[in-house]
Structures are given as structure tokens and as C-alpha cells.
Amino acid sequence: MKFFIDTANLDQIREANDFGILDGVTTNPSLMAKEGIKGHDKVMQHYVDICNIVDGDVSAEVIATDFEGIVREGHALAELHPQIVVKVPMIKDGIKAIRYFTEKGIKTNCTLVFSAGQALLAAKAGATYVSPFIGRLDDISFDGVELIQQIVNIYTIHGFETEVLAASIRNSMHIIKCAEAGADVVTCPLEPILGLLKHPLTDSGLEKFLADHNK
Ligand code: G3P
């Protein structure tokens, strides 16, 4: 299972990369705004900066919602760096654009996915990744992890190659549950990843080993 970090914060991307477990990065317009990255040129440069830190795929989201606009923006993003994956929203023109990019050999990430039917369409269009948002489903009392399981089952039964990228992950338990459900990728902030390190018995055990060593 791959670990992506879901942020546009370069310090956090560097920290996750230095930790040695990072396989890629996802961003979205809200995460870019959170870092104060504004204006076309600055946004494009920020994607390049991210690509220069990590080795894996870096999702960069289009803003357009019409087919021609998505295609135009997607080409501009893909030409920035070979690691760029064009992130396209789950709308009719988005699916059409994913099919277009697939035929051009450009990687895509279909975002804002909240149902198995949407995930089926993304796979049919040839998306490289599908991003179900599990935390936002949990927020409205739907089981996000159950959706991951359902999509993994459908893709396995029908042999779709689209990778299930569990997004909107809010805590370490989400990561573990997504791993159990067969997600190919989890993307989340740094904190839930670091949370996987923690166990009180590790802390107390290490404390005792060190104390005994010093006796
Ligand atoms: O990858 C999608 C993610 O950024 C959404 O997360 O926490 O805003 O629901 P969140």
C-alpha cells in the first residue's frame, strides 16, 4: 500500500519524505490556498517545487469544469513535470476528460468520489487513481471505509486497473481500516501517519530497556 501526503506544505512534504515512507503527494485548491499560494504562476511553480522534493506521483487539480477547459489545464499541468497526475473532478465533463487523458497516456486522479457508481465510471474512463473521500462521508454518518471495501471488491471482480486512493483521511485508524479494506493508496496529512508510530507499550518498553542498559 502506498502512502501519499495530502498537503501543499513543503515542510511537511520534506518531513514525510525524510521519514522514508512517502510514495507521493496529493493537493487540492483548498490546500494550496491554506499555504497562501495564489496566482497561476505561483501555483504552477509550487507544483514543480513539490515534484522536486518527492520521487512519486503528485496530483495537481484542474479548476475548469468544462471539457475543453479541463483538457487545456490538464495539458499545462502534465507538461510541468513527469510526476504530475492531473486531478479531475467527478463530473460528466471530467469523466470525458479522463478518457481523453487516458488515451494520451496522461495519468489522472478522479476526485470528489462519494459512491461506488462514481468509482465505476472513473474506472471505465481509465483513471489512474480514484479518490473516495472517506472522512467527509463519515462526517455525514455514512461509512467511508465501507465504500473503500465496496470499490475494491468491484475493481477486483472486474479487473479494473484503477488504483483506489483513500482520501479525506482524518486519523491513524482510518489508515489501518483502509489497509484492511484493500486500498492501494492512502493520502492524509502528516499527523495520522506519525500517529501510526505510537504505542504506550513501545514507550514504556524502550524506557525500561534503556534504564537496564544503564545499570
Ligand atoms: O484528498 C482530499 C482531502 O484533501 C479532503 O480532505 O479533510 O478536507 O475532507 P478533507
Side-chain angles (χ1 to χ4, degrees), residues 194-213:
L194 294 179
L196 296 173
L197 284 167
K198 292 179 190 158
H199 199 289
L201 292 179
T202 303
D203 296 342
S204 59
L206 183 60
E207 200 178 326
K208 173 122 180 42
F209 284 156
L210 294 179
D212 288 345
H213 171 79

Side-chain angles (χ1 to χ4, degrees), residues 1-7 9 11-26 54 165-166 168-176 185-199:
M1 188 175 74
K2 288 185 264 190
F3 276 27
F4 289 180
I5 189 163
D6 194 31
T7 183
N9 182 292
D11 290 337
Q12 287 197 14
I13 293 169
R14 276 191 207 97
E15 186 177 343
N17 195 54
D18 290 349
F19 189 28
I21 48 74
L22 193 64
D23 299 299
V25 179
T26 53
V54 299
L165 192 167
S168 183
I169 284 187
R170 306 277 175 74
N171 54 58
S172 307
M173 188 50 84
H174 268 158
I175 299 177
I176 295 162
V185 192
V186 286
T187 190
C188 57
L190 185 57
E191 273 310 305
I193 297 174
L194 294 179
L196 296 173
L197 284 167
K198 292 179 190 158
H199 199 289

Side-chain angles (χ1 to χ4, degrees), residues 52-72:
N52 287 335
I53 297 173
V54 299
D55 278 336
D57 286 347
V58 174
S59 288
E61 190 159 340
V62 298
I63 305 301
T65 54
D66 63 295
F67 175 74
E68 287 77 15
I70 296 172
V71 164
R72 193 174 52 248

